[in-house]
Amino acid sequence: MIRFADRKLDRNAPCWCGSGKKYKNCHEAFDEKIREFELQGHEVPDHSLIKTQAQIQGIRDSAKINIAVLDEVASKIRVGMSTEEIDEIVYRTTVAAGAIPAPLHYEGFPKSVCTSIGPEVCHGIPSDDRFLTDGSIVNVDCSTIYKGFFSDSSRMFCIGDVSEENRRLVQVTKECVEIGIRNVIPWTFLGDMGDKVHQHAIENGYTVVREIGGHGCGLAFHEDPYVSYVSTPGTEMLMVPGMVFTIEPMVNMGSDAIYQDAENGWTIYTEDGKASAQWEVQVLVTDTGCEVLAH
């Protein structure tokens, strides 16, 4: 594998970003800054993880549909609804917009959306015999493909008369994501952001799932980098303008231990049976912070 530091481009050639400018007048200084971090031993993104302006616009367009689909779910979700009905809303709304639900048939996943209730951490499979009961909390995780560009976000919904204990878990998890957004700072590290998220969760008496985290997203459903929320400051990949990834900590009321459903091979549960919550946003790193693309 060729290190970023060993890649030399012609200064007078068109820039790799597609701007039409000469490399020396466009991204040469940017690349030199990345190269300095790599020479110090840090993990850095290569050009494949830095989106061009045309790609960013394509991801924005996809994200608008993803948000609209979740808005439609929010307007219809209710006590007594089956998770299959949520799936039907997602499929119908996505296709009507000229897009494709990214989860459908992804590595064999059978539905258009993930619906995870209570102790289900993620990847819950919609079913016509799984219902939203009064007092339940559910995560609806929606992902969209539009003209080849991918977007991804999820929301928590409190159904009916939810206990204060569960409402607090949902709220603190949302705060964790908001803290993550504020700590997407260019030329710092994913580990810096992830640690801030983790600290807020544990300060409130919760744990964060270690084995599953965020990911790059835009040109494919799941890209590098992996984004941990149980990380150490000064570690993980350098964040630079143009990177697109998700912030999606999975926060557990009890232990951080999890297990996978042996029968369906998808759904992840808390080992102790206590509730879990997750909000997800997709962000673009900018020169000053980040732009939330999907929420």
Side-chain angles (χ1 to χ4, degrees):
M1 182 176 179
I2 301 174
R3 297 187 310 156
F4 193 98
D6 295 330
R7 298 178 182 181
K8 300 295 183 182
L9 302 179
D10 182 346
R11 299 181 68 238
N12 290 305
C15 187
W16 54 264
C17 75
S19 65
K21 299 177 182 178
K22 290 184 178 180
Y23 176 56
K24 66 182 179 181
N25 297 324
C26 194
H27 271 87
E28 184 179 34
F30 176 90
D31 283 354
E32 285 299 326
K33 192 169 183 178
I34 294 177
R35 190 171 287 114
E36 289 173 10
F37 278 95
E38 186 180 48
L39 291 172
Q40 293 168 15
H42 295 292
E43 182 182 1
V44 301
D46 63 25
H47 291 162
S48 70
L49 299 185
I50 301 168
K51 306 300 188 279
T52 67
Q53 288 303 308
Q55 290 168 343
I56 290 167
Q57 188 55 53
I59 299 167
R60 284 196 187 106
D61 293 341
S62 177
K64 288 177 184 176
I65 297 172
N66 204 72
I67 293 168
V69 172
L70 281 171
D71 286 346
E72 183 66 12
V73 171
S75 73
K76 300 287 195 303
I77 201 165
R78 67 186 189 283
V79 174
M81 172 183 273
S82 72
T83 53
E84 179 66 24
E85 289 177 81
I86 297 173
D87 187 74
E88 290 169 359
I89 291 169
V90 169
Y91 180 81
R92 184 174 62 251
T93 309
T94 304
V95 171
I100 301 167
L104 188 59
H105 306 311
Y106 175 76
E107 296 186 354
F109 191 80
K111 297 293 182 176
S112 297
V113 68
C114 296
T115 53
S116 305
I117 304 172
E120 295 173 344
V121 175
C122 62
H123 303 161
I125 301 176
S127 169
D128 57 12
D129 61 6
R130 187 84 161 97
F131 295 92
L132 303 180
T133 58
D134 187 45
S136 60
I137 59 173
V138 57
N139 176 266
V140 178
D141 191 348
C142 182
S143 309
T144 301
I145 310 170
Y146 181 64
K147 296 184 178 179
F149 295 100
F150 291 74
S151 53
D152 191 8
S153 60
S154 79
R155 301 180 195 172
M156 292 297 300
F157 295 97
C158 292
I159 308 301
D161 186 15
V162 174
S163 69
E164 180 58 35
E165 183 180 42
N166 278 348
R167 283 190 181 277
R168 182 173 179 272
L169 174 66
V170 170
Q171 177 58 35
V172 170
T173 305
K174 189 174 186 180
E175 291 168 4
C176 284
V177 172
E178 291 165 350
I179 287 169
I181 292 169
R182 292 198 298 271
N183 283 279
V184 175
I185 302 169
W187 310 108
T188 66
F189 302 96
L190 284 170
D192 301 332
M193 182 271 288
D195 179 66
K196 296 290 188 183
V197 171
H198 189 207
Q199 291 305 315
H200 188 68
I202 62 176
E203 285 167 5
N204 282 276
Y206 302 130
T207 61
V208 179
V209 172
R210 295 173 177 273
E211 297 90 339
I212 309 170
H215 54 90
C217 182
L219 306 186
F221 196 172
H222 294 94
E223 304 172 354
D224 287 335
Y226 173 72
V227 184
S228 172
Y229 307 102
V230 186
S231 50
T232 303
T235 68
E236 311 294 336
M237 188 176 284
L238 180 72
M239 294 184 282
V240 306
M243 289 175 63
V244 176
F245 55 83
T246 65
I247 301 176
E248 51 176 316
M250 300 170 196
V251 180
N252 294 352
M253 190 175 290
S255 164
D256 62 2
I258 58 174
Y259 71 94
Q260 186 178 62
D261 190 304
E263 185 174 339
N264 69 36
W266 279 100
T267 308
I268 305 296
Y269 301 86
T270 59
E271 194 170 273
D272 57 16
K274 294 184 178 180
S276 182
Q278 178 197 22
W279 295 81
E280 177 183 11
V281 297
Q282 182 180 13
V283 300
L284 163 70
V285 183
T286 66
D287 290 332
T288 57
C290 73
E291 173 187 343
V292 177
L293 300 173
H295 55 82

